[in-house]
Structures are given as C-alpha cells and as structure tokens.
Amino acid sequence: MAMHEAVLLRRRGAEQRNLKAYVASGGLAALAKARAIGPEETVRILTDSGLVGRGGAAFPAGRKWESVRTAKDPIRYVVLNTDESEPGTFKDRVMIESDPFMVLEGLLIACYAVSATGAYIYVRGEYGRVADLLQQSLRELQQAGHLEGIEPQGRPLRVEIRRGGGAYICGEETALFRSIEGYRGEPMAKPPFPTVAGLFRKPTVVNNVETIANVPDIIAFGAKALRSRGTERSPGTKLFSVSGHVARPDTYEVPFGTPLSELLQMAGGEADLQAVLMGGAAGTFVFPKDFDLALSYEGVAERHTTLGSGAVIAFNRQTNLWQVAERLGRFFAHESCGQCVPCRVGTRRQHEMLATLAAGRGQGDERGLLLRLSQVMTDASICGLGQTAATAVRSLMDAESAGLLAH
Amino acid sequence: MNRVGELIDETGTERTQLLEVLHKVQAEFHHIPRAAAETIEQRMNVPVADTYGVVTFYDLLTEHPVGRNVLRICEDVPCCLHGSEELVAEAERTLGPEGQPGADGAVSWTRCACLGLCDQAPAALYREEPLAPLHRHDIAGIGDGHA
Ligand SMILES: Cc1cc2nc3c(=O)[nH]c(=O)nc-3n(C[C@H](O)[C@H](O)[C@H](O)COP(=O)(O)O)c2cc1C
Ligand code: SF4
Ligand code: FES
C-alpha cells in the first residue's frame, strides 16, 4: 500500500498551532506574494491550477473568483462555507482543526483577489469548537496586522464568524446567504448566481473550506504545484471522510486517481465489505465490482457515481442496505426546507416507503412508486436537496436488480 | 424582557443579527419565550410571527423549553451502524420522552442529524460539546447528574 504525502493536512498533529509556528513553517508567504503580484495575476494562477470546488459541485474556483473580481458593484463578499452537514462528512472540521491558519490565509487571499469589502465564515451551529478555534486564530492574525491592506478602501478587513442554526439545507449557498441575512434558510432559484447577486444581493464568492485550504500553496508555489499531484483532469489531492465498517475511521488525504480499494485499505476496511456509500446521503452505493474505480472526477463519472462531499461510508455483509436507505430517507424528510411541494411531500412519501421496505413489509409496488417519485423530485425541485434525495435509493434498486445485495 | 434587550444591544439590531440574538436567548432561557420575541419585534423590527418562523426552521432553536443541559444523539447512517438506536432507547428509558426536561428542568435529550463526528461514532453532543463515542453508561450518568 502506497503512503501518500500529506499536503493539506501536513500540519496535522503539529505540536504548536499558533500564528508564530504557522509563519515559521512557511505560512503567510502566499498572502504576501498575492499582494505583490496583484489581484488579476492571483486569480490567473488559481484558474491555471485547475482547482475545482470541493463542496460537491466541482465548479472551477478561478472562474468564480474572476466573475466577482470583474463585477461592477464595488461591494463584494467572500463567504467560507463551513456548514459541513452531509451525513458521513467531517473533513472540513479536521482540516480546520489541523491547520486553521492555512484556511484563513486562503480566505484572506480570496478577499484580496476579488477586492472584497467583507467576509463571512458560516460555521454549522454544532461546530462550536471549530468556531472558537477560527475566532481565536483570526484574532491572532488581526493583532499581527494581517487584516490590513486587503480591503479596497484601505479599512481593516471585517471577517465575521456566523453560527448556523442546525439545518442541513443552509449548506446550499443561497440558503446560507438567507441564513446570514437573518431569515429561514430557504434556497432561491438560480440564476442569478452568487457571483452576480449573492449575499445581501451583492457579488459573492462562496467556497468550501477544502477549496480555500488549497489556495495558499497554489499561490505560493504556482499552478504547477497543484498539477504535480492527481490526474490531468483532477489535479491535486482530495480529503475523504471514511466511516462505517472500517477499523480506522478518519479523514484521509490522497491524490486524485487513487483507487477506492486503496482508500478502503488505508482505513482498515473489513475484508468482506458489501458496499460503500460514496458522497454522503446525496450519493450512490458502490459495490465491490467497482472498488477499483479511480477517485477522480472522471473516474467516478465513468462508474456513474460521485465524489460529492468526499464521504465514504462502508458497510459489511451483515448490514441491511434497505435499513440504511430508510435512514437516508428520514434525513431528507427532516431536512427538506419545504418550499417545493415535490420535495416536501416527496421526501416524506419516500421515507414511508423505505421504512416499509426496511421492515420487510413491502407490498410489491413500492419500487415502482419510488422510481416515479424520484423522477418527480429530480425534475421539479428548486435545489440540490430535492434533486438528489432519491439518488442513493435509485442506485440501491439498480443493485438489487443486479443481485448485489446481501439481504 | 430587559435581559433580551441587553443581548440585542451587545449583538446588533439589524436583521442579519437575528440568528445570533436567538442563539443567545436560547442559551439563557432554553427556548425562545414569547416575551423575547416581542422585545425582538420592538427592538429589531422583526414581527413575532416572523421570529417564530425562523425559530421553528432551525433545530437548535426551540419554541418550548428544553433542559438546561441538552443531549443530542446522532441518528444518521455511520452512527446507526455503531448502535445509535440502542442509545436512543436508553435515553428514552433513563431521561424520559424526547425533548421534554424533567420537573427540575435540568436535562432533556433529542435525536439529531449527523454531527460531523462520524469518525467517533456513535456520536452525541452534551452541552454543545462532543461526547463521542457515546456509551450507555454516559446516558445513565447524565440522568444521575454526574455527567
Ligand atoms: C443541500 C445542499 C447542501 C450543501 N451543503 C454544503 C456544505 O455543507 N458545505 C459546502 O461547502 N457546500 C455545500 N453545498 C454546496 C454549496 O451550495 C456550494 O456549491 C459550495 O459551497 C461552493 O463551494 P466550492 O465551489 O468551493 O465547492 C451544498 C449544496 C446543497 C444543494
Ligand atoms: S428542493 Fe427541497 S430543500 Fe430544496 S428548496 Fe425545494 S423544498 Fe427546499
Ligand atoms: S453520522 Fe453521526 S456524527 Fe455523522
């Protein structure tokens, strides 16, 4: 089994986690370089690196930044999405706990590159420790004067940490904006996209924690730094949250293109796994015949699955996957914001049918109904929650037809 | 409610501070009392109905009193694979019905969605701090006032 060098997580477990130690190990060089080369060149390096968003949608980060950088409105925001609520996902927490300053340096570079007038860090309400750590690290940066010279009008940059209220949907970018604004976190139809009308209807860059954590190295060492790892179409490394029936559940950093089987081996996956759920509740089940798949955007597309949030949940052969699906169904029924009928009603009906199947009391027509429901939810929902609420269930039905289930 | 007025003063009266104010009210009063919503209406210009629309949307805010100490037990897939159902049953047995504090108002418990602690499953939060992995005897300890 190959050992992979930690890049994003290289300071994990470091004895000292303060600004001095961060600077001593090369930290803040990227911010200094960005300021020396200017916003346009900074965004160009990011675009050239091929970095894509790690929050699930894999959107090119440079394109997003460039739209906001060149926006007409002088008021712009950068939002760090620290809502991390996809079941099975904990890599953003581990990223921040391991290296809060690298994440904050990335955020400051983003603010500088798009001439942001303010920044927000939206931390899920259950991550109190993460919010405290960010607050404390931010204070150190501020006291050392590092929030100066970023804001275009010459004021010290204002970075506000906001706590979420305990709602998965607030990780969706437009719902997140509503939540910061003081409303229910109900997603809005897109377009307009956040880069045009985001937080407070102003041009906004919203990025995932892991996306932003990649920024300092790219700026400090150039676009090639990211491209020296991973594959042509998926440059860099990726954090995976591995949980379930593995001996060492944890966050693992591997280069894109690493086989899923290798990741499972690193985590001590039981020898006789029945399946894994890739990408969290909104993901798909993958069975051993596909464990050789390459963990890259092109590799998962080839096998009709997804990297999603980087969650990998492993199941042994004793697990009844219909019971797992019931849990996923319950999650979506609880977390639907309720504004689209197909999603609000659909997730509830779906959960009821999954509960029936999990209890082994199916009447025989549930699978057909689930399939029709999944079509309606996918086609008629405003946001990704409703659009993906049936994805895992559909993949489970396919696997059942192919005779892959142990139960 | 004077205290709520103070919390608003230290946080801000703009609409964007609503969630932050509600978090602070919840932490002190263990729910959002009607009188607090009325103070918010006067001071922040957010109608009472609107405030409760927000309160009922977010799991960490409650319309009705919960315990001074809340135990949140995760019931999503990774935790479920590590026995969260038995823990929920144990909580029901020793701490009473979900969401309802005992007569002394000390403790209540609730199920919750993934806490991002799946590497330490089965996970819980107690007084908003991770308690993971959660063991059956932790729950009994909370019931006896030892945890
Ligand atoms: C239901 C739903 C939940 C989401 N939750 C998160 C989340 O917790 N964290 C996150 O970074 N992105 C989440 N996203 C994706 C965001 O909408 C957005 O695409 C992302 O923050 C952009 O950052 P990136 O380009 O760096 O990936 C979610 C999307 C949907 C539809
Ligand atoms: S799809 Fe579901 S979660 Fe998304 S906006 Fe519609 S009701 Fe809300
Ligand atoms: S599933 Fe329980 S903490 Fe993630």
Short mmCIF file of all heavy atoms in Angstrom, two decimals, chain A residues 1 90 240-252 262-270, chain B residues 82 118-120:
data_model
loop_
_atom_site.label_atom_id
_atom_site.label_comp_id
_atom_site.label_asym_id
_atom_site.label_seq_id
_atom_site.Cartn_x
_atom_site.Cartn_y
_atom_site.Cartn_z
N MET A 1 0.85 -1.20 0.00
CA MET A 1 0.00 0.00 0.00
C MET A 1 0.89 1.25 0.00
O MET A 1 1.76 1.40 0.84
CB MET A 1 -0.89 -0.04 1.25
CG MET A 1 -1.85 1.11 1.35
SD MET A 1 -3.08 0.81 2.64
CE MET A 1 -2.08 0.86 4.12
N PHE A 90 -16.81 14.85 7.56
CA PHE A 90 -16.20 15.57 8.68
C PHE A 90 -14.83 16.11 8.32
O PHE A 90 -14.06 16.53 9.16
CB PHE A 90 -16.13 14.67 9.93
CG PHE A 90 -15.65 13.27 9.65
CD1 PHE A 90 -14.29 12.98 9.66
CD2 PHE A 90 -16.54 12.24 9.36
CE1 PHE A 90 -13.83 11.69 9.39
CE2 PHE A 90 -16.09 10.95 9.07
CZ PHE A 90 -14.73 10.67 9.09
N PHE A 240 -10.93 12.69 2.10
CA PHE A 240 -12.08 11.79 2.19
C PHE A 240 -12.38 11.50 3.66
O PHE A 240 -11.46 11.23 4.44
CB PHE A 240 -11.80 10.47 1.46
CG PHE A 240 -11.79 10.63 -0.04
CD1 PHE A 240 -10.60 10.83 -0.72
CD2 PHE A 240 -12.98 10.62 -0.75
CE1 PHE A 240 -10.59 11.01 -2.10
CE2 PHE A 240 -12.98 10.80 -2.14
CZ PHE A 240 -11.78 11.00 -2.81
N SER A 241 -13.64 11.56 4.01
CA SER A 241 -14.10 11.18 5.35
C SER A 241 -14.54 9.73 5.25
O SER A 241 -15.52 9.45 4.57
CB SER A 241 -15.29 12.02 5.79
OG SER A 241 -15.08 13.40 5.58
N VAL A 242 -13.79 8.84 5.88
CA VAL A 242 -14.14 7.42 5.79
C VAL A 242 -14.72 6.96 7.12
O VAL A 242 -14.11 7.17 8.18
CB VAL A 242 -12.92 6.56 5.40
CG1 VAL A 242 -13.35 5.11 5.14
CG2 VAL A 242 -12.21 7.14 4.17
N SER A 243 -15.90 6.36 7.07
CA SER A 243 -16.56 5.91 8.31
C SER A 243 -17.31 4.61 8.06
O SER A 243 -17.27 4.07 6.95
CB SER A 243 -17.52 6.99 8.81
OG SER A 243 -18.60 7.13 7.91
N GLY A 244 -17.99 4.13 9.08
CA GLY A 244 -18.73 2.88 8.94
C GLY A 244 -17.88 1.70 9.35
O GLY A 244 -17.10 1.78 10.30
N HIS A 245 -18.00 0.60 8.61
CA HIS A 245 -17.33 -0.65 8.98
C HIS A 245 -15.87 -0.67 8.52
O HIS A 245 -15.48 -1.46 7.65
CB HIS A 245 -18.11 -1.85 8.43
CG HIS A 245 -19.44 -1.99 9.11
ND1 HIS A 245 -20.61 -2.20 8.42
CD2 HIS A 245 -19.78 -1.93 10.41
CE1 HIS A 245 -21.62 -2.27 9.28
NE2 HIS A 245 -21.14 -2.10 10.49
N VAL A 246 -15.09 0.21 9.10
CA VAL A 246 -13.65 0.25 8.87
C VAL A 246 -12.98 0.31 10.24
O VAL A 246 -13.56 0.84 11.19
CB VAL A 246 -13.22 1.45 8.00
CG1 VAL A 246 -13.76 1.35 6.59
CG2 VAL A 246 -13.65 2.77 8.64
N ALA A 247 -11.76 -0.21 10.32
CA ALA A 247 -11.08 -0.24 11.62
C ALA A 247 -10.58 1.15 12.03
O ALA A 247 -10.49 1.45 13.22
CB ALA A 247 -9.90 -1.21 11.56
N ARG A 248 -10.25 2.00 11.06
CA ARG A 248 -9.69 3.33 11.38
C ARG A 248 -10.48 4.43 10.68
O ARG A 248 -9.99 5.06 9.74
CB ARG A 248 -8.21 3.38 10.94
CG ARG A 248 -7.30 2.44 11.74
CD ARG A 248 -5.86 2.46 11.23
NE ARG A 248 -5.71 1.93 9.89
CZ ARG A 248 -5.67 0.62 9.60
NH1 ARG A 248 -5.76 -0.29 10.55
NH2 ARG A 248 -5.53 0.22 8.34
N PRO A 249 -11.70 4.69 11.16
CA PRO A 249 -12.48 5.77 10.55
C PRO A 249 -11.72 7.08 10.75
O PRO A 249 -11.21 7.35 11.84
CB PRO A 249 -13.79 5.76 11.34
CG PRO A 249 -13.48 5.06 12.62
CD PRO A 249 -12.39 4.08 12.30
N ASP A 250 -11.58 7.88 9.72
CA ASP A 250 -10.76 9.09 9.83
C ASP A 250 -10.88 9.89 8.53
O ASP A 250 -11.51 9.44 7.57
CB ASP A 250 -9.29 8.69 10.05
CG ASP A 250 -8.47 9.81 10.71
OD1 ASP A 250 -8.97 10.95 10.81
OD2 ASP A 250 -7.33 9.52 11.10
N THR A 251 -10.20 11.04 8.51
CA THR A 251 -10.07 11.82 7.28
C THR A 251 -8.76 11.43 6.63
O THR A 251 -7.72 11.47 7.28
CB THR A 251 -10.09 13.32 7.58
OG1 THR A 251 -11.35 13.64 8.17
CG2 THR A 251 -9.93 14.14 6.31
N TYR A 252 -8.80 11.04 5.35
CA TYR A 252 -7.60 10.64 4.61
C TYR A 252 -7.39 11.59 3.44
O TYR A 252 -8.34 11.95 2.77
CB TYR A 252 -7.74 9.20 4.10
CG TYR A 252 -7.75 8.20 5.24
CD1 TYR A 252 -8.94 7.83 5.87
CD2 TYR A 252 -6.56 7.66 5.72
CE1 TYR A 252 -8.94 6.95 6.94
CE2 TYR A 252 -6.55 6.77 6.78
CZ TYR A 252 -7.74 6.42 7.39
OH TYR A 252 -7.74 5.54 8.45
N GLU A 262 -7.83 1.19 -2.44
CA GLU A 262 -6.67 1.59 -1.65
C GLU A 262 -7.08 2.45 -0.46
O GLU A 262 -6.59 2.29 0.65
CB GLU A 262 -5.67 2.33 -2.54
CG GLU A 262 -4.34 2.56 -1.84
CD GLU A 262 -3.35 3.31 -2.72
OE1 GLU A 262 -3.26 3.01 -3.93
OE2 GLU A 262 -2.67 4.20 -2.18
N LEU A 263 -8.01 3.36 -0.71
CA LEU A 263 -8.52 4.21 0.38
C LEU A 263 -9.16 3.34 1.47
O LEU A 263 -8.94 3.54 2.67
CB LEU A 263 -9.54 5.21 -0.17
CG LEU A 263 -10.19 6.14 0.86
CD1 LEU A 263 -9.19 7.12 1.44
CD2 LEU A 263 -11.37 6.90 0.23
N LEU A 264 -9.92 2.35 1.03
CA LEU A 264 -10.59 1.46 1.99
C LEU A 264 -9.57 0.66 2.78
O LEU A 264 -9.73 0.44 3.99
CB LEU A 264 -11.56 0.53 1.26
CG LEU A 264 -12.79 1.22 0.66
CD1 LEU A 264 -13.58 0.27 -0.22
CD2 LEU A 264 -13.68 1.80 1.76
N GLN A 265 -8.49 0.28 2.10
CA GLN A 265 -7.42 -0.46 2.78
C GLN A 265 -6.73 0.43 3.81
O GLN A 265 -6.43 -0.01 4.92
CB GLN A 265 -6.43 -0.91 1.71
CG GLN A 265 -5.72 -2.20 2.03
CD GLN A 265 -4.67 -2.48 0.96
OE1 GLN A 265 -4.66 -1.88 -0.12
NE2 GLN A 265 -3.77 -3.40 1.27
N MET A 266 -6.46 1.67 3.44
CA MET A 266 -5.84 2.60 4.38
C MET A 266 -6.67 2.73 5.66
O MET A 266 -6.14 2.83 6.77
CB MET A 266 -5.71 4.00 3.75
CG MET A 266 -4.63 4.12 2.69
SD MET A 266 -4.82 5.63 1.67
CE MET A 266 -4.23 6.88 2.80
N ALA A 267 -7.99 2.74 5.48
CA ALA A 267 -8.88 2.94 6.63
C ALA A 267 -9.16 1.63 7.37
O ALA A 267 -9.89 1.60 8.35
CB ALA A 267 -10.19 3.57 6.16
N GLY A 268 -8.58 0.54 6.87
CA GLY A 268 -8.81 -0.75 7.51
C GLY A 268 -10.22 -1.28 7.27
O GLY A 268 -10.90 -1.71 8.20
N GLY A 269 -10.65 -1.21 6.03
CA GLY A 269 -11.97 -1.70 5.68
C GLY A 269 -12.04 -3.20 5.89
O GLY A 269 -11.08 -3.91 5.61
N GLU A 270 -13.16 -3.68 6.41
CA GLU A 270 -13.33 -5.11 6.62
C GLU A 270 -13.15 -5.83 5.28
O GLU A 270 -13.48 -5.28 4.23
CB GLU A 270 -14.71 -5.39 7.23
CG GLU A 270 -14.80 -4.83 8.66
CD GLU A 270 -16.18 -4.99 9.29
OE1 GLU A 270 -16.98 -5.81 8.78
OE2 GLU A 270 -16.43 -4.31 10.29
N HIS B 82 -23.13 1.96 14.36
CA HIS B 82 -22.44 1.73 15.63
C HIS B 82 -23.39 1.83 16.82
O HIS B 82 -22.99 2.27 17.91
CB HIS B 82 -21.26 2.70 15.76
CG HIS B 82 -20.14 2.39 14.82
ND1 HIS B 82 -19.98 3.00 13.62
CD2 HIS B 82 -19.14 1.47 14.91
CE1 HIS B 82 -18.92 2.50 12.99
NE2 HIS B 82 -18.40 1.56 13.76
N CYS B 118 -18.51 11.44 12.71
CA CYS B 118 -18.73 10.04 12.32
C CYS B 118 -17.50 9.18 12.55
O CYS B 118 -17.59 7.97 12.64
CB CYS B 118 -19.15 9.94 10.87
SG CYS B 118 -19.94 11.40 10.22
N ASP B 119 -16.30 9.81 12.62
CA ASP B 119 -15.08 9.05 12.91
C ASP B 119 -15.07 8.61 14.37
O ASP B 119 -14.24 7.78 14.75
CB ASP B 119 -13.83 9.89 12.58
CG ASP B 119 -13.86 11.29 13.17
OD1 ASP B 119 -14.93 11.75 13.62
OD2 ASP B 119 -12.80 11.95 13.20
N GLN B 120 -15.96 9.16 15.19
CA GLN B 120 -16.03 8.78 16.60
C GLN B 120 -17.40 8.18 16.94
O GLN B 120 -17.87 8.28 18.07
CB GLN B 120 -15.77 10.02 17.47
CG GLN B 120 -14.38 10.61 17.24
CD GLN B 120 -14.34 12.12 17.49
OE1 GLN B 120 -14.70 12.59 18.56
NE2 GLN B 120 -13.91 12.88 16.48
#
